[in-house]
Amino acid sequence: MRPLIHPAIEDVRPEAILHALADPARAAIFASITQAGCVQACSAVSSLGERVIPKSSLSAHFKVLREAGLIRSERHGVEMRNHSRCAEVEARFPGLLSAIMNAYAGAKGCEAAAP
Amino acid sequence: MRPLIHPAIEDVRPEAILHALADPARAAIFASITQAGCVQACSAVSSLGERVIPKSSLSAHFKVLREAGLIRSERHGVEMRNHSRCAEVEARFPGLLSAIMNAYAGAKGCEAAAP
DNA sequence: CCATTAGTTCCGAATTTCCGAACTATGGGA
DNA sequence: TCCCATAGTTCGGAAATTCGGAACTAATGG
């Protein structure tokens, strides 16, 4: 079990953030962590939409979010707690995260209106 | 030569935009098109930074930007003119493009300060 | 009609992503 | 203490993407 990698906020790169959030599943996971008081166990997220995401894929998604600097993960006993780093990222790249999350929210609303 | 695909603005997906701009080369191309009065020939962009981008890769980059809804390309004689669709995209996803471009601009300044 | 310029398409190699199976780490009993 | 259950990570091979050189197409100008 290698130690978890958390880049310092000044090492966080925009392309890593965009790449991480370019996947709707990861964006949904990040939104969930950010909204749910910044704490969430991995498996509390495993049923996003109707798609079942296998554990290994989920673990990889968390790793991408972590190494992009979007979340911070720490073990608490047997489970992992994930905190959103949105405040830090927002300070470094003002408006970025909110614009991205609004874009997803907006697009979701539109497509639901066209059955 | 298949016809160029330009999605309607209401069909533009956030994940496509993030994916397109998650590549620094594409983000630079898009910034260049947007800033240069919204018109640019493909090869006017071919030497970004010090990296030489082969024609085929450049063509693929333009295709990704086009199909993400970020640019509009039309033939004018032998050359292709690319217009930024930033106004349309900005209307649909407010703040998204400016936040992304600012993030890249900010990150570039910071890393240049650490040799 | 041929040459040139600008860009696209094709295709094989390299890279990345996906996911099941095996593994590791931690805590809680018996 | 040993074993089990839970939570997540790592491995490895298949599938999907991306990269880039070579060949191709389209328009223009001798």
Side-chain angles (χ1 to χ4, degrees):
Chain A
M1 218 60 80
R2 344 190 150 106
L4 304 178
I5 293 166
H6 293 100
I9 191 62
E10 64 269 20
D11 294 334
V12 169
R13 313 217 285 127
E15 57 265 42
I17 293 182
L18 296 186
H19 172 250
L21 296 180
D23 182 322
R26 280 196 295 262
I29 291 171
F30 177 68
S32 166
I33 293 174
T34 300
Q35 285 161 15
C38 293
V39 173
Q40 192 91 348
C42 284
S43 37
V45 124
S46 48
S47 60
L48 283 166
E50 53 243 43
R51 186 96 158 71
V52 175
I53 303 178
K55 285 202 305 178
S56 57
S57 304
L58 209 46
S59 179
H61 284 325
F62 275 86
K63 184 180 181 191
V64 171
L65 290 171
R66 193 161 53 233
E67 299 190 354
L70 287 166
I71 64 175
R72 197 180 292 280
S73 313
E74 27 184 283
R75 267 201 114 98
H76 272 247
V78 78
E79 73 188 11
M80 198 67 91
R81 292 199 194 155
N82 297 284
H83 305 248
S84 173
R85 296 179 71 182
C86 55
E88 285 172 272
V89 176
E90 185 65 18
R92 176 141 158 73
F93 301 123
L96 184 60
L97 294 184
S98 50
I100 293 174
M101 299 328 279
N102 283 340
Y104 272 112
K108 202 160 292 177
C110 290
E111 81 198 7
Chain B
M1 216 63 76
R2 349 195 145 101
L4 304 177
I5 294 167
H6 293 101
I9 191 62
E10 64 268 20
D11 293 334
V12 169
R13 318 222 43 103
E15 57 265 43
I17 292 181
L18 297 186
H19 172 251
L21 296 180
D23 182 320
R26 279 195 296 261
I29 291 172
F30 178 68
S32 166
I33 293 175
T34 300
Q35 285 161 17
C38 292
V39 174
Q40 192 91 349
C42 285
S43 36
V45 124
S46 49
S47 61
L48 282 166
E50 53 244 44
R51 188 94 158 71
V52 175
I53 304 178
K55 286 203 303 180
S56 59
S57 303
L58 209 45
S59 179
H61 283 325
F62 275 87
K63 183 180 182 191
V64 170
L65 290 171
R66 192 161 53 231
E67 299 190 355
L70 287 167
I71 65 175
R72 197 180 292 280
S73 312
E74 27 183 282
R75 264 201 118 101
H76 273 249
V78 78
E79 73 187 11
M80 198 67 93
R81 292 198 193 154
N82 297 285
H83 305 248
S84 173
R85 296 179 69 182
C86 55
E88 285 172 272
V89 175
E90 185 65 18
R92 176 139 158 76
F93 301 124
L96 184 60
L97 294 184
S98 49
I100 293 174
M101 299 328 278
N102 283 340
Y104 272 113
K108 201 159 293 177
C110 289
E111 80 198 9

